Amino acid sequence: MSTIELAAEKAKSVIQQVENISGGEAVMKALLCEKVNTIFGYPGGAIMPIYDALYDYQERLHHILVRHEQGAVHAAQGFARTSGKTGVVFATSGPGATNLVTGLADAMIDSTPVVCITGQVFAHLLGTDAFQETDVVNITTPVTKWNYQVTDASEIPAILAKAFYIARTGRPGPVLIDITKNAQLQKFDFTGYTPCTHIRSYRPKPYVRRKYIEQAAALINEAKKPFIIFGQGIILGKAEKEFREFIEKSGIPAAWTILGMSAIPTDHPLAVGMLGMHGNYGPNVLTNDCDVLIAVGMRFDDRVTGRLDKYAKQAKVIHLDIDPSEIDKNVKAMIPVWGDCKETLPLLTELVQKKTHPEWLQRFRDFQREEEKQCIEPEMKPSTDVLSMGEVIHQINELTKGEAIIVSDVGQHQMVACRYAQFKHSNSNITSGGLGTMGFALPAAIGAKFGAPARTVIAIIGDGGFQMTIQELGTIMQSKVNVKIVILNNEFLGMVRQWQELFHDRRYSFVDITSPDFVAVAKGYYIEGRSVSKRDELRNALSGMLDHQGPYLLEVKVGKENNVFPMVPQGCSVAEIRLK
Amino acid sequence: MQKQEFTITVYTENQIGLLNRIAIIFSRRKINIESLNTSPSEIESVHRFTIVINETEEVVRKLCRQIEKQVEVLKAYFNTNDELVWQELALYKVPTEIIADKVKVERLLREYGARAVAIRRDYTVFETSGHLEEIEGLIRALEPYGLIEFVRSARVAIIKDSKGFHEKLKEFESVEPGTNVIENEYLGKQDEVFTM
């Protein structure tokens, strides 16, 4: 282009920059500037001007109509977790907005970047108990990283820029922007959209202090039995490569939390399994035997630590985290390495010596062998005709070769899925970790598919959780979402039943849940399905599901009273993990 | 660790709803706020919260980190009483006739450094400022003489070795580059979703 043409182009863009548009349209322009292409939502009275604006943008902003607003947030979470982008949700005021709360709480505790835009009654009606008015900003304050109410259209571009910046930077989290109806309708001079890159009171990541990196490296170099435990921070920080380089140079065994899973391939030579209540034997026991414990991007949840005053007391703890409030929150760190692990890990890798710890690693393998014998074998090759959850996951592994995205719900099947699923790629294990939200998986799988359209998405759901968000089958039907649904049906609310069996004298209080004919329900939504209960049908049913073009529901009837082991009983130390 | 009185000083942006965000950090953990004051600071547009609680140092340190995590909070400090200069203000309404009749009351008020701020035919309002013990001492002394009404303000405090917030603010205002979003390699293959 010649200089004259360039100047003309520039002048044109300046002219285009001042447009008189509605607040609703400004929302669309902001979303496009943030490279949003998928929205999960549900319309209603107070958000109608935004939906009216969306009508003209539907080619570029793909809107997925969910069946319940909770499903919209979970879908946005699934989208964010597989794509690494920010999920976007639309909902109306009042009940629409309150239906978001569970999803927001889930996204908050699992650090998922989501921007929710809710409609609100006209500004002059605020506080009058108007139709479908609720104080959404205050209701959602504890479950959002940031929230804000817009009452004037001219605020929209800057506030949305701030919303996206806050949601995705630092430790990500959900942001809610409540826009009153008058602001959506109001015309104003839109002067263009500037993405936010700085908020003076907000520091996405703390300064990296070289001193601590050096101290950490010195400690690691001296360690005889070092142990790495890592969480979702690696995935959120997109630091999978940096992390691999760190463990491979230092030769330290590494175990994941439930949300850290898939950050390294599950068959990595240094991978020793999952931590926590239903994690693997070795990593739990040896947490209380290692001399240096290196925690990367994880927050020492109580399901990981078990009894805190008996957790890794012998170890010197190095804690790498982007969120300063996580340091010393649950476990005292001897060396706090504040910062984004994408920056801190390479600095650490540079300073650690190249080493291997064969004897130490062997101890993990010894525990693994014991676990194989006592827990894994009986799960994979049950002595009865009744199917186990573990063999279903095992078959899925064999068929997908670890290439699939597994979205799990909450309960026994979740623990089994996370214990046995194999992954080759990051962003592949999608589950509700911190909040333990039953009903998460079905909508999250929808979002996961939109976040990674080229990958196979398999939702593993229990008979209880499936009935909590069963209506999202409607979304799958309407938007033709190619997700594979596996219901592991044990005709119980299995995890609660397991606890009642072990800790409440088998007093099965309201855990026997009856289910509809799931295949018939799916059929009602024009979704193909099948139900199996025999071992010789399983493989065929699973491969049929995977080969099917389009969504598919497979119900697998599994043992009613199977338990998930190993288990760290509540109030016990991780070393007291039970194999039966 | 022993619980003791801590004063938390929070520098913030002036934003609607921030008071709630800060308050729920305490209420979620079932911690009572003994006193809370919001005021402008030495810097225009920067607000200052002064919060008094009774807790252990460990808990207070964690609370401050949670407070600082809030997007609109610039900085949170915590101090013990010996690191602070602080004052509370109190107003006392007493019947005017008592002061006129009883020399003892007049002497009492002078002793506590009380200052009359409003004198009416039927009542007089006095004001004192100081530490809690001094203020409460005067209430107890006045009670037998018919104290009509009493109100005490929240604590305001200055940190003894603080150099103010101007320098710190400059640090906050220095622009840090935003982070680029790295997208999933599979994204943009949207067509493949629709295989039904």
Side-chain angles (χ1 to χ4, degrees):
Chain A
M1 238 187 265
S2 73
T3 31
I4 298 166
E5 277 172 322
L6 267 174
E9 200 63 35
K10 202 174 165 194
K12 214 165 94 190
S13 73
V14 170
I15 295 161
Q16 277 175 346
Q17 266 170 12
V18 188
E19 284 176 281
N20 196 260
I21 61 170
S22 72
E25 197 177 352
V27 172
M28 301 307 131
K29 287 186 181 291
L31 295 180
L32 285 176
C33 291
E34 292 290 346
K35 297 202 189 93
V36 171
N37 58 10
T38 311
I39 301 161
F40 303 93
Y42 206 104
I47 198 170
M48 279 175 67
I50 286 179
Y51 270 86
D52 188 59
L54 179 62
Y55 192 77
D56 293 326
Y57 284 79
Q58 51 187 309
E59 294 297 313
R60 284 177 286 169
L61 292 166
H62 191 187
H63 179 273
I64 312 300
L65 180 68
V66 294
R67 293 297 180 271
H68 185 284
E69 288 85 351
Q70 182 190 347
V73 193
H74 291 331
Q77 289 180 274
F79 176 86
R81 299 259 289 268
T82 58
S83 70
K85 290 181 57 162
T86 303
V88 178
V89 172
F90 284 176
T92 193
S93 66
T98 55
N99 280 345
L100 298 177
V101 172
T102 303
L104 287 169
D106 194 287
M108 184 71 175
I109 201 162
D110 282 353
S111 311
T112 315
V114 172
V115 172
C116 292
I117 295 170
T118 50
Q120 181 55 282
V121 300
F122 285 90
H124 72 271
L125 291 175
L126 287 171
T128 66
D129 300 326
F131 179 65
Q132 293 195 328
E133 185 202 353
T134 44
D135 185 359
V136 171
V137 169
N138 277 312
I139 286 175
T140 59
T141 295
V143 292
T144 50
K145 186 174 172 188
W146 187 65
N147 60 8
Y148 188 83
Q149 186 173 63
V150 173
T151 50
D152 191 288
S154 62
E155 291 180 287
I156 288 172
I159 290 299
L160 283 182
K162 223 174 138 176
F164 278 92
Y165 177 64
I166 291 168
R168 71 164 180 260
T169 55
R171 178 176 181 174
V175 170
L176 182 136
I177 305 299
D178 194 37
I179 308 179
T180 56
K181 198 166 179 180
N182 60 295
Q184 298 171 37
L185 292 164
Q186 183 195 338
K187 297 263 186 178
F188 75 109
D189 285 337
F190 178 75
T191 53
Y193 184 84
T194 320
C196 179
T197 54
H198 179 76
I199 297 167
R200 75 170 179 185
S201 58
Y202 169 66
R203 176 140 298 165
K205 37 191 170 186
Y207 291 123
V208 176
R209 299 180 195 198
R210 185 100 201 150
K211 187 180 83 183
Y212 289 132
I213 304 263
E214 284 163 6
Q215 287 177 4
L219 204 56
I220 292 167
N221 288 338
E222 280 167 27
K224 298 276 174 287
K225 295 185 287 182
F227 182 30
I228 293 170
I229 55 178
F230 66 94
Q232 198 192 191
I234 310 274
I235 298 171
L236 291 170
K238 288 152 179 133
E240 292 90 347
K241 185 172 148 277
E242 290 78 0
F243 182 67
R244 268 181 84 154
E245 283 164 3
F246 170 61
I247 59 170
E248 282 165 11
K249 186 175 179 193
S250 59
I252 302 173
W256 50 80
T257 68
I258 191 165
L259 293 184
M261 190 175 192
S262 86
I264 57 171
T266 42
D267 59 357
H268 191 280
L270 289 164
V272 293
M274 185 166 79
L275 296 158
M277 188 173 264
H278 293 288
N280 292 104
Y281 194 29
N284 274 308
V285 173
L286 294 175
T287 296
N288 278 9
D289 196 25
C290 64
D291 57 358
V292 175
L293 188 66
I294 306 134
V296 188
M298 56 86 71
R299 61 186 176 83
F300 293 105
D301 181 88
D302 61 278
R303 287 299 196 260
V304 160
T305 63
R307 191 168 155 172
L308 208 53
D309 61 0
K310 287 185 178 173
Y311 181 79
K313 286 294 167 195
Q314 81 296 340
K316 292 171 177 151
V317 178
I318 301 169
H319 193 176
L320 288 78
D321 209 287
I322 197 166
D323 178 357
S325 73
E326 286 302 337
I327 308 285
D328 292 346
K329 189 185 80 179
N330 295 332
V331 172
K332 272 241 172 284
M334 187 179 199
I335 300 168
V337 183
W338 285 308
D340 183 345
C341 62
K342 199 169 174 72
E343 293 165 25
T344 53
L345 282 171
L347 296 172
L348 204 51
T349 308
E350 206 182 297
L351 297 180
V352 295
Q353 292 159 4
K354 185 153 179 60
K355 267 193 189 174
T356 53
H357 300 273
E359 278 167 41
W360 172 233
L361 190 60
Q362 188 52 44
R363 293 197 54 200
F364 285 89
R365 300 301 174 217
D366 292 344
F367 277 105
Q368 191 181 351
R369 199 152 349 108
E370 188 63 25
E371 187 183 343
E372 287 275 351
K373 208 167 74 193
Q374 294 207 46
C375 303
I376 302 174
E377 282 289 317
E379 182 76 25
M380 292 302 156
K381 297 190 181 78
S383 49
T384 62
D385 290 340
V386 188
L387 285 170
S388 75
M389 294 184 179
E391 57 186 321
V392 180
I393 307 299
H394 179 66
Q395 296 286 345
I396 290 173
N397 286 338
E398 290 194 343
L399 289 165
T400 62
K401 302 190 169 56
E403 296 283 342
I405 289 169
I406 306 271
V407 186
S408 50
D409 210 74
V410 170
Q412 285 186 318
H413 72 279
Q414 174 192 33
M415 292 301 115
V416 172
C418 294
R419 281 179 52 75
Y420 299 115
Q422 287 167 0
F423 295 107
K424 286 213 174 98
H425 308 287
S426 184
N427 300 83
S428 296
N429 184 42
I430 314 300
T431 192
S432 167
L435 201 67
T437 308
M438 282 176 73
F440 173 84
L442 190 62
I446 295 169
K449 184 67 187 175
F450 283 104
R455 298 186 63 188
T456 302
V457 173
I458 304 173
I460 313 275
I461 316 180
D463 44 323
F466 188 73
Q467 291 184 66
M468 280 202 180
T469 46
I470 194 166
Q471 72 281 357
E472 298 307 332
L473 286 174
T475 311
I476 293 171
M477 168 184 68
Q478 184 170 358
S479 294
K480 303 180 174 62
V481 195
N482 185 6
V483 292
K484 312 299 179 190
I485 305 155
V486 178
I487 300 176
L488 298 178
N489 185 355
N490 58 4
E491 297 171 46
F492 265 124
L493 298 173
M495 188 56 93
V496 180
R497 188 210 53 76
Q498 176 172 344
W499 281 52
Q500 288 175 346
E501 177 190 330
L502 298 175
F503 312 117
H504 296 272
D505 301 326
R506 290 179 178 264
R507 287 153 56 90
Y508 289 171
S509 186
F510 300 97
V511 288
D512 54 335
I513 184 168
T514 41
S515 294
D517 179 339
F518 289 123
V519 177
V521 171
K523 201 170 176 202
Y525 285 97
Y526 307 102
I527 294 168
E528 290 279 326
R530 185 177 170 188
S531 178
V532 293
S533 55
K534 294 200 176 73
R535 187 157 294 122
D536 53 11
E537 299 173 322
L538 179 63
R539 179 74 166 216
N540 179 268
L542 282 167
S543 61
M545 171 187 84
L546 292 167
D547 292 341
H548 180 77
Q549 294 292 306
Y552 195 91
L553 182 144
L554 177 67
E555 181 194 26
V556 184
K557 293 194 168 140
V558 295
K560 281 187 73 164
E561 296 190 49
N562 292 0
N563 286 338
V564 187
F565 281 110
M567 178 179 193
V568 181
Q570 206 164 34
C572 292
S573 95
V574 285
E576 295 171 88
I577 184 166
R578 287 167 57 174
L579 288 176
K580 56 177 109 179
Chain B
M1 247 193 286
Q2 200 80 52
K3 280 191 184 183
Q4 57 169 318
E5 204 166 77
F6 279 96
T7 301
I8 300 172
T9 306
V10 190
Y11 287 93
T12 74
E13 302 289 353
N14 183 15
Q15 173 100 32
I16 293 171
L18 185 57
L19 174 62
N20 187 24
R21 272 201 181 267
I22 291 175
I24 61 175
I25 289 171
F26 297 90
S27 57
R28 175 177 173 185
R29 293 166 177 81
K30 224 170 165 167
I31 293 169
N32 193 32
I33 295 177
E34 307 292 335
S35 144
L36 183 149
N37 181 76
T38 72
S39 85
S41 72
E42 64 271 24
I43 301 161
E44 207 190 319
S45 85
V46 173
H47 267 235
R48 179 173 175 147
F49 285 64
T50 309
I51 303 163
V52 182
I53 60 163
N54 259 309
E55 263 306 334
T56 62
E57 190 180 331
E58 196 189 335
V59 169
V60 176
R61 178 174 293 116
K62 287 179 189 173
L63 286 170
C64 281
R65 286 189 179 159
Q66 294 295 334
I67 294 169
E68 276 188 3
K69 198 163 142 175
Q70 302 306 316
V71 170
E72 273 107 5
V73 169
L74 289 147
K75 192 81 193 146
Y77 300 99
F78 65 94
N79 296 95
T80 52
N81 287 345
D82 56 337
E83 296 165 339
L84 296 166
V85 175
W86 84 92
Q87 292 280 283
E88 283 158 14
L89 177 123
L91 297 175
Y92 313 78
K93 190 202 260 182
V94 284
T96 304
E97 55 184 44
I98 297 269
I99 310 156
D101 294 354
K102 306 240 162 130
V103 186
K104 207 176 161 200
V105 176
E106 202 190 323
R107 202 185 307 136
L108 205 62
L109 290 165
R110 216 176 306 129
E111 223 173 82
Y112 278 91
R115 208 163 51 87
V117 284
I119 304 166
R120 300 282 177 275
R121 202 181 302 275
D122 49 346
Y123 67 85
T124 303
V125 176
F126 290 95
E127 167 256 335
T128 63
S129 59
H131 290 184
L132 183 66
E133 302 75 44
E134 299 161 301
I135 289 166
E136 288 194 333
L138 184 55
I139 311 177
R140 272 194 300 277
L142 283 175
E143 250 162 14
Y145 302 101
L147 176 65
I148 303 167
E149 212 179 318
F150 162 76
V151 64
R152 174 163 60 83
S153 77
R155 170 184 292 193
V156 289
I158 293 273
I159 303 165
K160 284 178 187 167
D161 63 0
S162 165
K163 295 183 182 69
F165 206 66
H166 290 282
E167 279 306 307
K168 205 88 200 147
L169 191 69
K170 271 187 215 155
E171 254 176 60
F172 282 102
E173 284 179 341
S174 69
V175 177
E176 291 158 49
T179 41
N180 287 329
V181 179
I182 305 166
E183 290 182 4
N184 180 301
E185 55 183 306
Y186 299 97
L187 206 77
K189 298 176 185 170
Q190 200 79 25
D191 294 343
E192 291 168 60
V193 188
F194 310 103
T195 51
M196 193 176 178

